[in-house]
Amino acid sequence: MSLEYIGIFLGFLGAIVQAFNYAFTKDCAEKYSLKGLRQLAAVHIGLCLLSIIPFFYFNLISYISFELVFDTLWATIPYLMAQYLMIVTLTMTDSSIVSPLLTIKIPVLAVIALIFLGQNFALNQIIAIIALILLGVYFSKIAGRIKLLPLLLITIVSFMYAISDLGMAEFMRDWPEDNRTHAILGIICYQFMLCGIIALPFFKAGRFHINVTDVKRASTIAIAWMTSNAFFVTCFNLAGVVETSIVQSLRSVLGIIVAYLFYKSYIHDENTFKKKMVIAVLMFFFVSIYYL
């Protein structure tokens, strides 16, 4: 099996773990009323804590340079902006409407890859990209009607995520040694430690303050996010950013399967759920078409 296909397989595992992460996020919000910016801060403080051990064990600080700091900011700032705007969007409309529309990131990355990275796409790949976008929009439409402002915000979110992905890819290219494992650990640790530092003002301070208990309650989300991110970053490294985004597009539909298997109590409309399952199968089909 080639390194590219290993990367795609790991990206698929990342999509599965992230689907569980969505379920953990909802479960945490339902059980502990830990939502929005408070949950986001708690998760990223947890991610920062998880990053400390590999950061110092592998002496990743010794590789620090101006280029890596710049790349970390490039990957982190758009990511945090996207996370914040996602929260704003979710206050306006339901997550089942918003999440499938993140497929907008695919054409954004495809255009960037085409213009700036010189990447070409075969006919089957173009068909798959168009089909995945249309299925994502239809998936969202089944859940309900989205208004213009949330649609604009989710477009900005998709763009910010795409920019962040390119920053992560650039970080790994600038890593000073030929060691994929260290490069992958480097971007994960640098990014999440910076996120944790930015989240620290929320700790026992201000209107949205959190405490140690909140960080513990969000620990399952943090572990799932760290694991999925490791798989996705490896996929970036081995397969490419557009290919990783194609695999990532499955996370919403995988979330439907996870909800059915483990969180049936959250399913209120069986007919709508069945339609989403059909779309899930079609999205798997077109992801397979992309990689033919």
Side-chain angles (χ1 to χ4, degrees):
M1 184 182 290
S2 68
L3 288 177
E4 182 179 358
Y5 281 108
I6 291 172
I8 292 165
F9 174 72
L10 292 175
F12 180 72
L13 291 181
I16 293 173
V17 176
Q18 202 160 81
F20 275 96
N21 178 66
Y22 289 153
F24 296 153
T25 299
K26 184 174 180 62
D27 200 45
C28 182
E30 294 280 341
K31 283 184 179 178
Y32 308 117
S33 295
L34 186 61
K35 305 175 183 179
L37 283 172
R38 292 183 65 246
Q39 187 187 98
L40 186 66
V43 168
H44 282 89
I45 289 175
L47 285 166
C48 181
L49 293 173
L50 289 171
S51 301
I52 288 174
I53 293 175
F55 184 78
F56 288 104
Y57 181 81
F58 292 99
N59 195 27
L60 298 177
I61 194 170
S62 65
Y63 299 99
I64 197 166
S65 65
F66 173 80
E67 288 81 8
L68 292 181
V69 170
F70 177 80
D71 295 340
T72 303
L73 291 170
W74 178 358
T76 305
I77 301 304
Y79 160 77
L80 287 176
M81 288 174 63
Q83 293 290 80
Y84 174 73
L85 289 176
M86 272 290 284
I87 291 170
V88 173
T89 307
L90 290 171
T91 61
M92 298 179 182
T93 188
D94 188 76
S95 61
S96 61
I97 300 174
V98 171
S99 184
L101 292 175
L102 289 174
T103 50
I104 294 171
K105 189 177 84 168
I106 297 173
V108 172
L109 275 172
V111 169
I112 292 172
L114 186 66
I115 296 174
F116 298 104
L117 305 179
Q119 182 171 344
N120 295 314
F121 298 96
L123 180 60
N124 63 297
Q125 294 176 319
I126 294 170
I127 291 171
I129 288 172
I130 294 171
L132 287 168
I133 295 164
L134 292 175
L135 286 168
V137 171
Y138 184 60
F139 193 99
S140 174
K141 190 176 179 181
I142 288 174
R145 184 182 176 187
I146 188 167
K147 295 180 181 178
L148 182 60
L149 181 57
L151 180 60
L152 176 62
L153 287 175
I154 202 64
T155 303
I156 297 171
V157 165
S158 298
F159 184 76
M160 289 293 103
Y161 278 140
I163 296 300
S164 175
D165 288 351
L166 291 172
M168 294 170 73
E170 188 64 24
F171 182 101
M172 288 183 288
R173 278 193 288 270
D174 286 338
W175 191 254
E177 64 169 358
D178 188 20
N179 187 319
R180 280 198 174 99
T181 302
H182 283 182
I184 291 164
L185 286 171
I187 182 56
I188 292 171
C189 292
Y190 278 46
Q191 183 177 22
F192 287 146
M193 289 183 76
L194 177 58
C195 287
I197 292 168
I198 294 171
L200 274 178
F202 289 88
F203 196 77
K204 290 189 175 181
R207 177 184 168 191
F208 299 104
H209 79 276
I210 58 173
N211 53 41
V212 174
T213 301
D214 293 325
V215 175
K216 288 180 179 177
R217 287 171 172 172
S219 60
T220 312
I221 305 170
I223 292 168
W225 192 263
M226 174 74 84
T227 305
S228 66
N229 202 67
F231 284 135
F232 284 141
V233 172
T234 306
C235 190
F236 287 152
N237 190 282
L238 299 179
V241 290
V242 178
E243 286 72 16
T244 304
S245 289
I246 295 294
V247 178
Q248 277 181 321
S249 68
L250 294 175
R251 57 192 170 187
S252 296
V253 294
L254 285 167
I256 296 296
I257 297 170
V258 169
Y260 179 75
L261 294 176
F262 300 99
Y263 296 92
K264 289 184 180 180
S265 60
Y266 295 147
I267 299 170
H268 304 297
D269 187 341
E270 288 285 344
N271 289 330
T272 299
F273 184 82
K274 288 175 182 177
K275 288 180 182 178
K276 289 180 178 179
M277 286 293 284
V278 172
I279 295 173
V281 172
L282 288 172
M283 290 187 85
F284 274 104
F285 172 75
F286 281 106
V287 167
S288 300
I289 290 294
Y290 182 89
Y291 291 112
L292 282 179

